[in-house]
Amino acid sequence: MEVTDIGNKEEGKVWHRKPTPGKGVLVTVVRTAQQAKAVRFLHVAFDTTGDTFLAGDHHGNIYVFDISRNRFRLVQKTGQACTALAFSLRRTTEFLVALADNTIKCFDKDTKQLVSWMRGHEGAVSSISVHSSGRYAISTSLDTAQLWDLDTFQRKRKLNIKQSVGIQRVFFLPLSNTILSCFSDDSIFAWESDTLFCKYQLPVPDCGPKISYKAFAVTRDGKSLAAGGRSNLLHLWCLDSRQLVRVIQMPTQVRTVRQLEFLPDSFDGGASQTLGVLSQDGMMRFINIHTCKLLFHMGSHDNAITTVTVSPNGRHVVAIMDNGSINVYSVQSLTQELNKPPPSQVAVVSGSDADQELSNLKVKVRSEVVQRPAKSSGRRTQVKILRPPAGSTAEDKENELPAGLNKKRLVALLKAFGEYPAKYRMFVWRSLLCLPENHASYSSLTDKGLHSAYLTLHDKYPIKSHKLQRGLQRVLSALAHWAAIFGEVEYLPLIAFPFVKLFQNNPMLCFEVVATVIVNWCQHWFEYFPNPPLNILSMAENVLAHHDKELLQHLVDCGITSQLYVWPLLETLFSEVLTRDEWLRLFDSIFSNHPSFLLMACVAYITCCREPLLLCSQKQDFEYFFHHRNNLDVAAMIKEAYRLMGSTPADIHPRTMLSDFTPLTKGQYPVFNHYPEFIVEYQSREREKIRLQEMEYLRERQEVSAMRADFVRRQAEEEACYAQQELLQKAEEQRRNILAQEEEKLTQQRAKLAAMKRELKVKEIQLLDATRSRFFKNQQDLKASQIQELEQEISRKMDLRERETAAAVQDLEVRQMELEAQRKRLEQHLLKEQVRMGQEVEKEVGMRMRRADREQGSCTDLLHSSQANMQALEESLAEACQLGLESDWQREVAERLQQVDAEQERKRERLAELHRRTLAEEERLADTVRDVAGRKWDEVMSARAQLQEQQRPLTSEDADGQRQTRPLCLTRGLPLRHSASAAVSVGTSTGGPTARLNCATSPKQAGTNMVCLNSSSPSESTSTNFSLDRGRAQLDSSERELLKEIRELRQKLLARANEGSSASSQSVHALSSVSQ
């Protein structure tokens, strides 16, 4: 056993000497740090190929070990211990590692880069299970399990449980979308991974002791589950029927099961039968779950195993030992039980010396259930007469095959069933071909790398599967390194491809199968190289001529040679004309018979297709026929081949010219030199020469390309320089244009801003004008309303005067009538009436005086109220003008000065015109009043003259009465004279002709008129007119004073308006100078 100490190396070889076949432990890997202190490995994980595994140590270093290439490499330093490892199936270079900080990281083993970092667990992650598609992964800790999407590295779901129930393990079932969750209470649930719908729950066993499941294992087909725990009992569940099918009891040394692992096999179809059980004693025992037989074990009490990982292909087992080292085991070297063939389906009764009498006994042997084709499913029992051999056992020894098989029995089975069981076909082929499995020799061939002849294989034979492409390239390169001719044979990929497709998971077996086919069934093929094997083709043509001359003659007549109807079948080994199942059935018979059976199969194919071939006459039809699949019964073709093998004469039988089957030698592959070496060497030299010329040409071309690239680079640099300069110039010009545009934009913005300011100012001025116009309009309306009110007041007073005048006239008329009545009564009651009349006159005079006083008081009050209103109006007008001046000082602008001046001039003109109109109206009103007063006064005077004329005839009659009453009149003459003087003053104020007449009247005449009481009483009429005209004179004087005050107010308003316009113009000039 070789021990490899990787130490602080980042890469190197796993072993320095090839492990000797037969040893169980291939190599032991340890890692020692400084001061010879060993560093423990904690976890390992295999990739899907089974040739590479990851290993993480206690220091956080992750290593990749490639067993097939004998290399290891340090891919990551995490800095902390790992708790679980897993490969990402979709991206083969990525792997997942769970760390001690409860996080999961994804790294790339080639680039050593961190791909993603997944957080979410609160406890240490104990296991990571990746779905078969590689898209999802499940990480499990003691308290939770989380489902991750490996495309986005995001958490999709989280499984939370009660604190009292812990999670043992959650993992994906192989080849399905089912998630299996196992809990500490021995309950097992199955979930649908897409919808997370619970599909079923396995029943918890009621009978027997409680196992407390700790370890679980599932077969590759996902149909069987093994569970174990704190007991030596194992439960085997069938997941299809969801039933406990078996309870296996381990030896008494096993008290606790730590880990369970199924050991896969290439020929079990995924239904693994070997189960590895790691117990508390550090030993892993492998048992057969059907026979419950212990097959082999690993580890010991002194060298205990901690954990085990089995490769997917079942070839290697990697165990971490109790001391922290890694042991790599070879399963093939550990046991021979797995390599034994399945039990024979035919029971054989052999005789002995003691019972020779049983030699002629008929024995009925019922075979076990065998999977057979549909056509032979009706057979149930085979009855054979088995006789013991009479002679020596030399023939039996010749038919004995490796792994306990017998060729004669296999051929009998093949003839009976038409094919080998698909489950054991590869195993039977390995036994029939006696493959040596020379690992060392094959490794020496593969270590040489890819052959130069197959470097561009994908160009000529493009294959969609990269894995299949690489496998074919690897096998062809190994064949070319084994024999030089195989690097020159153009049809070799056609021969090897079907075997590569069958053995794509085991390239060594594929190589040995192809090599065995070439050595035995391709005998004499390369003697005429590079031409087709004419000798082999002639053998087939001779057989066809013997069995079907008509068909051969038809082919000759059509100009079709054996190179067209035999060689296409041979160079592709029927892979072009048969399906996979038909090809497998055919090669079951080919590998079970003499190498000449292949030629017989070609002739049988041609004879079985004779009818369509006889209908063909064109060469293209024959070419198409032998390169495409046709409707053919393979069973009939194989039967025909057997018939040809038995009925062909010995002189033309290919058996006489072809050697018997010869297997490959063990240890080293045989030398293959059955070809014209000089041609191959010549072609090799020519190819080498061509290769050297190509290399020289490529070198020169590379130099020319380099020079051209240099020239192009320089030209590109110059062009780039020129382009850069042009770009710089364009950029500079563009920048200048941009600056100019920006300046223009700035200028435009400034102009727009100035325009906006002007517009705002204009709007302000317009608003001011509108406000001012509204103010002036309001003032005009107010003044007009005041004038209208004054006119209404004047008209009201004129109406009042007219009413008073009419009332006075009526009073005079009534008084005249009363005087007439009094005059008639005075004659009888003169004395009595004188006193009463004096009293009445006094009362009348007092009443008239009081009325005049009241009228004078009302006129005075009216005058005072109008003065107060005018004073308030003047004050409000002054205040409004002051506010208008302040607002005009702030808002007016220079552009509107002329308009303002013009507007003010127009307003002044309108005011002057209004003033003139007012004055004219006032003059007209005054004239009208004077005319009305003059007319009234004339009427009064005419009425007075008529009264005087009527009173003159009565003067003489009343002389005595007047003398008697003169003292009384004289005593009362003072107030009458006062009234006359007042009447004179009123008449003077009115300016009528009556006034002049009154002024011209002598005092004596007035006194004479006033003394006579029997006359028409001019004194009383005079007093009456005096009392009425006094109020009218006062009213006229108040009106004149009011009009005079209105004129003065208007003049003041005009003066103030002129002062405000001059001040506003000065402020506007000042604002314009400041803005400039």
Side-chain angles (χ1 to χ4, degrees), residues 57 203 224 237 279 447 647 741 800 807 856 863 875 989 1017:
D57 62 7
S224 299
W237 296 86
S279 58
D447 290 342
S647 61
Q741 292 176 0
L800 182 60
Q856 185 177 3
L863 181 61
E875 290 176 359
S989 65
S1017 185

Side-chain angles (χ1 to χ4, degrees), residues 325-371:
S325 61
I326 295 177
N327 282 1
V328 182
Y329 293 88
S330 174
V331 177
Q332 184 179 7
S333 301
L334 286 173
T335 179
Q336 298 295 329
E337 186 71 21
L338 298 179
N339 294 329
K340 290 184 179 180
S344 178
Q345 304 299 316
V346 178
V348 179
V349 177
S350 60
S352 62
D353 296 337
D355 50 0
Q356 289 292 333
E357 66 275 4
L358 300 176
S359 59
N360 295 325
L361 178 64
K362 283 187 177 181
V363 180
K364 183 178 181 181
V365 179
R366 184 178 299 274
S367 64
E368 297 179 4
V369 178
V370 179
Q371 187 175 0

Side-chain angles (χ1 to χ4, degrees), residues 606-808:
I606 296 170
T607 55
C608 289
C609 299
R610 69 186 309 275
E611 297 299 332
L613 289 176
L614 290 174
L615 296 176
C616 296
S617 60
Q618 301 295 328
K619 183 178 181 180
Q620 294 82 2
D621 298 338
F622 288 101
E623 291 178 353
Y624 181 86
F625 185 87
F626 288 102
H627 285 86
H628 293 80
R629 294 177 183 175
N630 302 290
N631 296 324
L632 178 67
D633 187 1
V634 178
M637 187 192 77
I638 296 175
K639 185 176 180 181
E640 178 67 16
Y642 277 110
R643 189 188 69 79
L644 295 177
M645 283 287 291
S647 61
T648 303
D651 55 345
I652 60 173
H653 201 293
R655 184 192 300 271
T656 58
M657 289 168 281
L658 296 178
S659 303
D660 293 336
F661 174 77
T662 304
L664 298 178
T665 58
K666 290 188 177 182
Q668 295 291 333
Y669 295 119
V671 177
F672 186 83
N673 56 0
H674 304 292
Y675 58 90
E677 296 182 0
F678 66 94
I679 295 178
V680 175
E681 291 176 358
Y682 174 76
Q683 287 190 351
S684 299
R685 288 194 302 270
E686 289 296 325
R687 176 175 282 119
E688 184 67 20
K689 184 178 179 181
I690 293 173
R691 189 180 65 82
L692 293 175
Q693 290 177 357
E694 288 180 352
M695 291 178 62
E696 183 67 20
Y697 169 73
L698 292 175
R699 185 182 61 79
E700 293 178 356
R701 184 177 178 181
Q702 187 175 4
E703 291 179 356
V704 172
S705 300
M707 293 175 64
R708 183 179 300 172
D710 190 15
F711 172 74
V712 171
R713 180 180 57 80
R714 290 180 181 178
Q715 186 177 2
E717 289 178 355
E718 291 178 357
E719 291 179 356
C721 183
Y722 291 144
Q724 188 175 6
Q725 291 179 359
E726 292 179 359
L727 289 175
L728 290 175
Q729 292 177 358
K730 290 181 180 179
E732 184 177 1
E733 184 177 357
Q734 187 177 3
R735 296 295 185 275
R736 289 178 180 175
N737 294 333
I738 291 173
L739 288 175
Q741 292 176 0
E742 292 295 331
E743 291 178 355
E744 185 177 357
K745 288 181 181 178
L746 185 60
T747 305
Q748 292 178 358
Q749 289 178 357
R750 289 177 179 174
K752 289 181 180 179
L753 184 60
M756 291 175 64
K757 288 182 178 179
R758 286 194 299 272
E759 290 178 359
L760 290 175
K761 291 295 182 182
V762 169
K763 288 182 180 179
E764 290 178 358
I765 293 171
Q766 291 177 355
L767 291 174
L768 288 174
D769 292 340
T771 305
R772 186 176 298 171
S773 62
R774 286 196 300 271
F775 174 73
F776 285 134
K777 186 177 180 181
N778 292 332
Q779 292 296 323
Q780 291 176 2
D781 294 339
L782 181 61
K783 290 179 181 179
S785 64
Q786 290 177 356
I787 292 172
Q788 187 176 3
E789 289 177 357
L790 289 174
E791 291 178 352
Q792 292 176 358
E793 184 69 22
I794 291 169
S795 62
R796 185 180 63 80
K797 289 182 179 181
M798 288 176 65
D799 293 339
L800 182 60
R801 287 177 184 178
E802 291 178 355
R803 286 194 298 272
E804 288 178 354
T805 304

